[in-house]
């Protein structure tokens, strides 16, 4: 009996247990999302570090990290917010990629993608334009691209540099936009 035959059931079990844990974690975070905001607001000087930890924790949940970025922008200004949001979103992207990789292994996506309808198995997910501009789709574009990149076995180096570029641009726009909006509104209130 070979070692690889023994590893397959273990890999499957670990993937299933990881998904179960993840679902429970998502349910917990979804029911306690207000607590996360309060934690960040009350953490004072520790807020950037706590935010940096929260970004990857929230990566595979439906909870958006935009309020974290906005709180940081208002409290610490755009420069620190850009750094924290950029690093946090890059960490989150790696978590999403890892999650997608585990899903791909659990369902044997590499062999199944050719059976997808409408030619979906031939999508050019590994192309630089798709990796960059797909992440810019509002809502869950970045999460979907991260998981698809892992499923389609996009090389980690290509995935990460395209992610880093897009996250930097997004962090700059969102941090300055949030900061500018608050400064503008301060004039009237």
């Amino acid at each position: 009996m070979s070692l690889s035959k023994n590893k397959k059931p273990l890999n499957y079990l670990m993937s299933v247990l990881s998904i179960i844990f993840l679902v429970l974690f998502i349910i917990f975070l979804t029911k306690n999302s207000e607590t996360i905001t309060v934690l960040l607001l009350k953490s004072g000087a520790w807020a950037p570090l706590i935010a940096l930890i929260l970004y990857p924790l929230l990566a595979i949940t439906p909870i958006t990290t935009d309020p974290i970025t906005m709180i940081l922008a208002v409290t610490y200004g755009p420069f620190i917010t850009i750094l924290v949001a950029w690093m946090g979103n890059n960490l989150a992207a790696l978590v999403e990629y890892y999650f997608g990789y585990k899903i791909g292994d659990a369902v044997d996506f590499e062999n199944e993608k050719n059976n997808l309808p409408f030619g979906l198995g031939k999508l050019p997910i590994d192309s630089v334009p798709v990796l960059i501009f797909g992440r810019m789709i509002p809502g869950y574009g970045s999460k979907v691209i991260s998981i698809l990149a892992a499923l389609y076995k996009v090389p980690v180096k290509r995935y990460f540099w395209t992610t880093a570029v897009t996250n930097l641009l997004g962090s700059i726009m969102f941090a300055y936009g949030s900061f500018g909006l608050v400064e503008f509104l301060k004039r009237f209130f």
Side-chain angles (χ1 to χ4, degrees), residues 20-36 54 57-58 61-63:
I20 290 170
F21 173 75
L22 178 67
V23 168
L24 293 174
F25 185 67
I26 289 170
I27 291 168
F28 171 78
L29 287 177
T30 302
K31 290 187 177 197
N32 296 296
S33 61
E34 299 85 26
T35 306
I36 294 167
L54 286 174
L57 286 178
L58 297 174
T61 70
I63 300 171

Side-chain angles (χ1 to χ4, degrees), residues 95-164:
V95 169
E96 292 161 355
Y97 185 89
Y98 176 79
F99 181 66
Y101 190 83
K102 285 298 184 184
I103 290 173
D105 281 350
V107 299
D108 195 21
F109 184 77
E110 193 62 34
N111 291 327
E112 296 298 323
K113 75 179 179 182
N114 294 327
N115 298 328
L116 292 174
F118 311 114
L120 293 174
K122 296 176 182 164
L123 285 174
I125 299 298
D126 63 341
S127 74
V128 172
V130 169
L131 290 171
I132 289 177
F133 295 113
R135 294 187 74 75
M136 293 181 183
I137 296 171
Y140 295 100
S142 63
K143 292 179 187 298
V144 170
I145 288 296
S146 293
I147 291 170
L148 285 175
L151 289 172
Y152 281 77
K153 306 279 191 220
V154 172
V156 175
K157 284 183 181 180
R158 180 181 309 149
Y159 167 75
F160 190 72
W161 81 258
T162 56
T163 298

